[in-house]
Amino acid sequence: MKIFCVGRNYVEHAKELQNEVPDEPVIFIKPKSALLQPHTPFYYPEFSNELHYEAELVLRVSKNGKYIQDRFASRYYNAISVGIDFTARDVQQELKQKGLPWEKAKAWDNSAVVGTWVDLTPEILRSPINFSLKLNEDTVQKGISADMIFSFDKIVAHISQYFSLNIGDLIFTGTPAGVGECVVGDVLQGYLEDKKMFEVEIK
Ligand code: ZN
C-alpha cells in the first residue's frame, strides 16, 4: 500500500504559502508507515517546531491500474474520507529553499491520518463535496471539491501515468486554504459534510 498526495490543488492554499498555481498536479508519496493506525496516539514529531495540519479529502483505490484515461478514472476508487497530511512546515521550508525532496517534512511515521470511509456512489460524486477541520472548538479549514484545480479523475489519471495504482492505495487530494500550526494538547476533528470522520489529539 502506498499513499499519494497532491500538493497545491487549491488556488487559495497555493497563494497562502506563496507557491505558484501548478499546471499539472504536484505529487508526492508517503510510505505505508506514515499511516496512523486506529487507536494509536499521535505524537508531536521531535524534529519539528512548527507542525501544521492540512485537512484533505482522501480517496481509496479499488482497482489496480496503470495509464488510466480521465474518462475511466472514476472506476478506480470507491471510497472517500477526510484526513490530515501532517507537515513539519519548518523542515519543509528548509528543504524547499535548498531544492531538496520533501519526505522528511511530509512522509514521517504517523504523518497521515485518515478517518472512517464512506462508499462513493454516483449520487455523492454528482454534487460538490464539503469537508472541514476543527481545531479545538474553531473551524479552521473549509473545503469543497469543486474548488480543486485538478479533479479526482484528473489526479487518478495523472498519477497512473507514473505509478501503478493498487487496491488499497490512498490518495490525499490536496488541502484548501487555512493550514496552520497545532501544538501538544490540541484536538483536531475532520468532517465530511456534517459527519465527523476522525478526532486526533496531539500528544
Ligand atoms: Zn497536503
Side-chain angles (χ1 to χ4, degrees):
M1 189 276 275
K2 49 202 183 295
I3 304 168
F4 297 100
C5 300
V6 182
R8 306 171 192 170
N9 201 22
Y10 291 80
V11 174
E12 293 308 314
H13 169 65
K15 283 187 190 160
E16 76 181 343
L17 293 184
Q18 276 96 46
N19 289 316
E20 279 175 31
V21 175
D23 49 18
E24 62 173 50
V26 173
I27 305 293
F28 58 95
I29 291 181
K30 295 186 190 236
K32 192 179 173 191
S33 49
L35 188 65
L36 184 73
Q37 298 299 318
H39 314 296
T40 306
F42 177 88
Y43 292 104
Y44 196 103
E46 58 198 19
F47 47 81
S48 176
N49 288 307
E50 193 187 8
L51 176 66
H52 272 203
Y53 51 79
E54 293 190 359
E56 314 198 359
L57 290 172
V58 185
L59 301 175
R60 193 174 62 198
V61 173
S62 55
K63 194 174 163 182
N64 297 337
K66 184 98 203 264
Y67 304 120
I68 300 160
Q69 294 175 39
D70 290 17
R71 67 178 195 278
F72 299 127
S74 64
R75 299 178 188 174
Y76 289 81
Y77 53 91
N78 69 355
I80 191 165
S81 189
V82 177
I84 300 183
D85 162 23
F86 274 110
T87 303
R89 194 70 73 199
D90 48 352
V91 177
Q92 190 194 26
Q93 287 308 116
E94 218 181 300
L95 295 169
K96 275 165 78 176
Q97 275 165 19
K98 295 181 184 162
L100 294 172
W102 293 358
E103 276 84 351
K104 288 201 273 186
K106 287 277 198 184
W108 34 280
D109 285 0
N110 301 339
S111 61
V113 169
V114 181
T116 49
W117 292 101
V118 172
D119 289 340
L120 268 176
T121 58
E123 290 67 44
I124 295 178
L125 286 167
R126 209 164 289 145
S127 20
I129 299 168
N130 291 282
F131 64 106
S132 59
L133 183 74
K134 259 180 153 182
L135 170 64
N136 302 323
E137 289 316 306
D138 304 321
T139 299
V140 287
Q141 285 193 284
K142 266 187 170 182
I144 180 162
S145 58
D147 284 346
M148 296 194 307
I149 300 169
F150 302 103
S151 66
F152 295 156
D153 291 350
K154 286 249 186 280
I155 292 167
V156 166
H158 185 80
I159 289 173
S160 78
Q161 306 308 306
Y162 299 83
F163 308 97
S164 312
L165 282 172
N166 296 113
I167 295 171
D169 287 350
L170 306 182
I171 304 175
F172 280 66
T173 59
T175 195
V179 300
E181 211 175 337
C182 46
V183 296
V184 173
D186 281 345
V187 176
L188 294 156
Q189 299 173 81
Y191 289 82
L192 185 71
E193 304 294 347
D194 296 328
K195 193 174 170 235
K196 186 157 126 181
M197 309 300 279
F198 67 81
E199 177 171 324
V200 59
E201 186 188 343
I202 318 285
K203 303 268 189 190

